[in-house]
Amino acid sequence: MFVDSHCHIDFPELAGRLPEILEKMRANEVSEALCVSVTLADFPGVLALAESHPNIYASVGVHPDYPDIDEPTVAGLVAQAAHPRIVAIGETGLDYFRLQGDLEWQRERFRVHIRASRESGKPLIIHTRSASEDTLRLMREEKAGTDAGGAGGVMHCFTESLAVAEAAMAMGFYISFSGIVTFKNAKELQAVARAVPLERMLIETDSPYLAPVPMRGKTNEPGFVRHVAEFLADLKEVPLTTLAEATTRNFRTLFSIPH
Ligand SMILES: [Zn+2]
Ligand SMILES: [Zn+2]
């Protein structure tokens, strides 16, 4: 059984096709998926999905790519994260690729999420793009990692160097690979995935974006996480069942879901 640790099935590209998406998960042996919030406005919809489907979990958080929207507070996030179907805080983090200029608000928003994670005990889902140095710095300053008494979490849709992966793993974080690792030009990332131990690895789709090979160009969906798993098993030269079991076990351990 496979698990999609990061998807956005509430996005308009996918929201209207839910029965079909759930059926394709079954057909591809994808037992569970985590639907990740990106704004406070979308949170009720994400939570409703998790409340009405036993194999869909949800998170609460505000993505760094959205300026000028409702800012989360530590107390607000902690209150929302207390719901039993909310298994994580995020997605949060830093993105200096999509946005430029004075991004102090992004860093402040990230700090708020880390504080909420520490207070609620729920792990972080971290998005980082062209900002790995500041991301790691804030994780350390705010004591996000299990090494510093935090709840830890996952570096999602990982595309950074092995050094960044190792720094995050040293703080107790997991590294999640998406369809990007299957792309032909992703040689450096493939080398990183080879080096990340199975005990620290998660898999995801980040659907509706980034469909893996051989579905590249299509609208991505949780069932396609199977292709990410198949690619990584080949890359790491382990049986597919070994990779599936490890990433599913890691998912349940990280998000405190009964095994
Ligand atoms: Zn992201
Ligand atoms: Zn995402």
Side-chain angles (χ1 to χ4, degrees):
M1 286 296 206
F2 308 96
V3 167
D4 183 359
S5 71
H6 190 117
C7 66
H8 300 285
I9 51 175
D10 61 313
F11 280 18
E13 294 90 332
L14 295 173
R17 292 173 40 215
L18 195 58
E20 188 197 326
I21 285 165
L22 293 168
E23 178 46 42
K24 209 172 279 178
M25 283 174 64
R26 267 189 295 274
N28 283 296
E29 297 177 89
V30 178
S31 57
E32 287 136 288
L34 171 47
C35 185
V36 175
S37 280
V38 295
T39 68
L40 293 177
D42 78 21
F43 175 68
V46 170
L47 178 58
L49 276 173
E51 282 180 320
S52 53
H53 300 91
N55 61 336
I56 306 291
Y57 303 93
S59 71
V60 61
V62 180
H63 196 288
D65 280 355
Y66 303 103
D68 308 317
I69 56 167
D70 246 6
E71 279 301 332
T73 63
V74 175
L77 288 173
V78 169
Q80 284 162 320
H83 192 289
R85 302 297 295 167
I86 303 302
V87 299
I89 303 282
E91 61 180 291
T92 181
L94 301 176
D95 192 328
Y96 298 170
F97 181 82
R98 295 279 289 274
L99 298 170
Q100 284 94 35
D102 182 7
L103 297 178
E104 186 54 31
W105 61 268
Q106 234 185 37
R107 291 184 284 275
E108 187 51 39
R109 187 185 284 176
F110 185 28
R111 289 183 193 277
V112 164
H113 284 82
I114 299 175
R115 287 167 197 168
S117 167
R118 284 182 60 89
E119 219 170 282
S120 65
K122 301 223 169 161
L124 289 156
I125 298 169
I126 296 183
H127 169 112
T128 183
R129 195 157 179 214
S130 304
S132 58
E133 231 173 84
D134 277 4
T135 301
L136 291 170
R137 177 171 63 82
L138 266 59
M139 287 164 69
R140 281 192 200 100
E141 284 178 10
E142 297 289 341
K143 301 184 167 61
T146 53
D147 64 323
V154 55
M155 308 302 284
H156 111 87
C157 197
F158 194 78
T159 53
E160 303 294 331
S161 67
L162 181 58
V164 173
E166 281 172 343
M169 289 191 286
M171 284 186 258
F173 276 72
Y174 290 80
I175 308 296
S176 180
F177 294 96
S178 69
I180 292 177
V181 78
T182 71
F183 296 173
K184 216 173 173 176
N185 60 0
K187 297 291 175 228
E188 280 172 46
L189 185 60
Q190 288 160 9
V192 175
R194 226 177 262 123
V196 168
L198 280 179
E199 295 70 38
R200 293 273 109 193
M201 186 178 279
L202 292 178
I203 51 173
E204 67 173 84
T205 58
D206 207 9
S207 48
Y209 313 120
L210 303 167
V213 173
M215 300 298 174
R216 205 169 171 185
K218 293 194 181 168
T219 301
N220 202 1
E221 59 178 82
F224 292 176
V225 82
R226 189 196 183 97
H227 300 293
V228 179
E230 284 171 350
F231 184 91
L232 286 169
D234 280 352
L235 186 75
K236 295 182 81 65
E237 299 177 54
V238 297
L240 183 57
T241 50
T242 304
L243 189 121
E245 278 166 19
T247 51
T248 299
R249 190 184 326 115
N250 295 342
F251 176 83
R252 300 209 168 119
T253 300
L254 175 62
F255 298 117
S256 300
I257 291 163
H259 287 250

